[in-house]
Amino acid sequence: MPRSVLFIKHIEYETGGHATTLLSHLPTREAVFPTALPPLDEIAGIVITGGQMSAADVDAFPSLQLTADLALRAIDAEVPVLGLCLGHQILGRALGAEHREGAVDEVGIVDIDVLEPEPWLGAHVGRLGAMRWNSDVVSLPPGATLLARSATVENEAFRYGSAVGMQFHLEADDRVMRLWDSVASPTLSQLRSPDAVAGWRRHLATDPTLLGVVERGFGAFAAACAARMDAEAPALVA
């Protein structure tokens, strides 16, 4: 089977936002609360999206452990892996980071300080206003490179081999925000206010720095997946 980019989702209404849009020129497939995942030979890259459960809820949500196991094998095989929010925490835990539940109460646009010129973050260094919605955090995994921090979270983004985790929602587009303010329980407006949500949506739609990072960052991730897609799959051993 030809290789494709795998979106692993742990919430029914997850769209993938900008990640889905900017990878739409590549073959993709999705697994929602998966009970099984495809073999690495069929995968060009992996995007692990957000969710409302804790990354520690592996008994209630076995798909979390399946995802972590696949992510580790993907990193060993140098397959591109991108973890967003919950995906960041799944990656961090799998790589040996400390996971703290309920450590913060962050909803809205947060100033992120990007420390390293990571291609999947658009090679941007400096301040970035990005959407956050999380209470759990993970420390920097042993051996990982810290890419970004904020005033409340030391590990906002990291790279480990072929994987990057981002605590913030770089993928959040207007459709994602509308779903979070209508289908999610509680909604964004219930957690903060309709006026606050309107301001966040304006920022996500118009901030040139963020939009540049989104386009360049997901574009670079797509290029990494395309390179694996173009590479010849290893011969199967009889």
Side-chain angles (χ1 to χ4, degrees), residues 91-123:
L91 281 176
R93 283 173 52 88
L95 293 167
E98 176 190 3
H99 176 214
R100 293 189 294 138
E101 297 184 71
V104 297
D105 178 20
E106 206 74 81
V107 183
I109 301 298
V110 173
D111 285 336
I112 309 294
D113 292 315
V114 184
L115 309 172
E116 298 285 341
E118 163 60 46
W120 297 1
L121 280 169

Side-chain angles (χ1 to χ4, degrees), residues 67-84:
T67 302
D69 293 343
L70 178 65
L72 289 180
R73 291 189 287 112
I75 293 169
D76 286 343
E78 300 183 344
V79 176
V81 182
L82 181 61
L84 302 168

Side-chain angles (χ1 to χ4, degrees), residues 50-71:
Q52 292 182 301
M53 71 288 290
S54 167
D57 289 342
V58 293
D59 291 335
F61 301 97
S63 58
L64 297 173
Q65 190 61 55
L66 280 176
T67 302
D69 293 343
L70 178 65

Side-chain angles (χ1 to χ4, degrees), residues 19-86:
T20 298
T21 300
L22 293 170
L23 273 75
S24 61
H25 61 292
L26 300 177
T28 61
R29 61 197 293 187
E30 67 176 40
V32 184
F33 292 109
T35 57
L37 290 167
L40 285 178
D41 282 352
E42 296 179 6
I43 297 174
I46 300 170
V47 180
I48 309 169
T49 63
Q52 292 182 301
M53 71 288 290
S54 167
D57 289 342
V58 293
D59 291 335
F61 301 97
S63 58
L64 297 173
Q65 190 61 55
L66 280 176
T67 302
D69 293 343
L70 178 65
L72 289 180
R73 291 189 287 112
I75 293 169
D76 286 343
E78 300 183 344
V79 176
V81 182
L82 181 61
L84 302 168
C85 196
L86 174 65

Side-chain angles (χ1 to χ4, degrees), residues 11 19 70 72 77 81-82 94 96-97 104 136 157 178 184 195 203 212 221-222:
I11 195 165
L70 178 65
L72 289 180
V81 182
L82 181 61
V104 297
D136 291 9
R178 285 188 281 109
D195 286 346
H203 174 86
F221 177 76

